[in-house]
């Protein structure tokens, strides 16, 4: 069920170069892994889309890569601060898979801890640009970790796994070629998160998709 609420910050913890923002859950439900939430830091004009990373009882945890003003404002919050949260939104991962293999790259590992929990901790393969970034792999159970120049696509097993992935666009496009039925969580800049502004429209296989409505998770590129 979609809800908007002001949630209070319980903790702000460094994880390598990333920040784990822990919020009191309040009226917001964690939803399906891979769905998105719009997080609005106090004093910021536009909210920022985030995937839920952890859902322990009574909490919602978001892993944030502070790359610009919006994400830095979220990473600079302090315990006791309040922020606006809207969600869960869009389509997450289908969980009716027989042999799940979770694949993540960089901050794209954000939805994998919650996804892993919901799937009973299947194997995972995660890649990072440095050992420092790879500290975040500790959040993903049963993860095989690779660091550049090795890429996750070089380590993808040959057996027929049900791949569920999130990461940078070149990684997702390579996975589509290697595992055509993979479920992939795509990204685009999002202003509203619920289909009204078209800022997230992307062309995939010749069709325009609003990622916040049809995605962010698309099967084999197209739902
Ligand atoms: C569905 C979804 C889930 C996401 N989940 C997470 C998450 O769990 N953790 C996390 O840290 N980030 C996540 N992101 C990305 C995050 O929303 C962006 O990094 C953030 O909006 C950037 O805002 P900013 O103000 O910090 O930087 P800006 O100044 O807005 O952007 C900095 C740079 O990144 C580019 N950029 C911004 N947003 C995106 C985007 N979505 N895709 C590609 N390029 C972009 C801009 O063009 C610019 O070059 C997610 C994005 C989507 C769409
Ligand atoms: S973010 Fe506004 S339509 Fe998708």
């Amino acid at each position: 069920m979609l809800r908007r609420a002001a949630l209070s910050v319980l903790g702000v913890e460094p994880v390598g170069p990333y920040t784990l923002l822990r919020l009191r859950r309040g009226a917001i439900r964690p939803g399906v892994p891979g769905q998105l939430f719009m997080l609005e830091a106090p004093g910021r004009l536009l909210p920022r889309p985030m995937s839920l990373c952890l859902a322990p009882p009574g909490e919602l945890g978001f892993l944030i890569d502070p790359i610009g003003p919006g994400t830095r404002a979220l990473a600079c919050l302090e315990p006791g601060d309040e922020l606006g949260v809207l969600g869960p939104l869009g389509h997450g991962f289908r969980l009716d898979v027989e042999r799940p293999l979770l694949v993540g790259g960089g901050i794209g590992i954000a939805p994998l801890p919650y996804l892993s929990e919901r799937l009973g901790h299947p194997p995972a393969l995660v890649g990072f640009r440095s050992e420092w970034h790879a500290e975040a792999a500790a959040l993903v159970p049963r993860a095989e970790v690779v660091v550049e120049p090795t890429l996750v696509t070089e380590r993808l097993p040959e057996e027929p796994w049900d791949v569920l992935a999130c990461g940078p666009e070149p990684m997702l496009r390579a996975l589509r070629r290697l595992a055509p039925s993979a479920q992939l969580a795509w990204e685009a800049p999002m202003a509203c998160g619920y289909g009204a502004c078209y800022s997230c429209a992307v062309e995939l296989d010749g069709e325009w998709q609003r990622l916040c409505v049809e995605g962010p998770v698309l099967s084999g590129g197209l739902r």
Side-chain angles (χ1 to χ4, degrees):
M1 187 197 302
L2 169 64
R3 280 186 193 276
R4 185 192 298 273
L7 302 188
S8 57
V9 175
L10 292 173
V12 186
E13 297 160 12
V15 182
Y18 309 120
T19 300
L20 182 63
L21 178 66
R22 293 172 38 229
L23 306 179
R24 193 180 300 284
R25 193 182 283 193
I28 300 287
R29 302 277 67 89
V32 177
Q35 283 188 291
L36 69 108
F37 294 79
M38 297 299 283
L39 268 55
E40 192 174 351
R44 304 284 321 164
L45 203 56
L46 287 175
R48 289 292 181 262
M50 294 287 149
S51 319
L52 185 64
C53 179
L54 294 165
E59 284 189 27
L60 300 173
F62 295 91
L63 189 67
I64 294 170
D65 189 4
I67 58 160
T71 44
R72 278 199 290 271
L74 291 168
C76 286
L77 290 167
E78 294 185 355
D81 286 346
E82 285 207 334
L83 76 160
V85 178
L86 172 69
L89 298 158
H91 288 91
F93 291 99
R94 280 186 294 99
L95 304 180
D96 58 341
V97 286
E98 284 180 14
R99 294 192 71 200
L101 174 67
L102 313 190
V103 181
I107 189 58
I109 71 140
L112 300 193
Y114 178 40
L115 179 61
S116 176
E117 182 200 322
R118 292 288 302 270
L119 287 172
H121 306 310
L125 177 57
V126 294
F128 296 90
R129 76 174 76 143
S130 75
E131 296 288 349
W132 188 39
H133 290 81
E135 286 178 31
L139 295 169
V140 186
R142 296 184 63 195
E144 178 188 343
V145 185
V146 297
V147 174
E148 288 184 17
T150 307
L151 303 175
V152 288
T153 43
E154 294 168 31
R155 291 292 176 88
L156 207 63
E158 282 184 7
E159 307 95 278
W161 292 89
D162 295 310
V163 172
L164 300 91
C166 184
E169 196 170 315
M171 183 194 106
L172 297 184
R173 293 199 181 275
L175 280 174
R176 282 180 77 194
R177 288 192 294 276
L178 296 166
S181 61
Q183 296 184 57
L184 306 174
W186 298 86
E187 270 196 26
M190 292 184 180
C192 74
Y194 49 82
C197 72
Y198 281 76
S199 67
C200 66
V202 293
E203 194 177 358
L204 286 170
D205 291 343
E207 280 189 41
W208 284 94
Q209 312 262 1
R210 278 171 305 172
L211 271 186
C212 70
V213 177
E214 270 79 43
V217 179
L218 303 172
S219 287
L222 291 172
R223 183 168 285 278

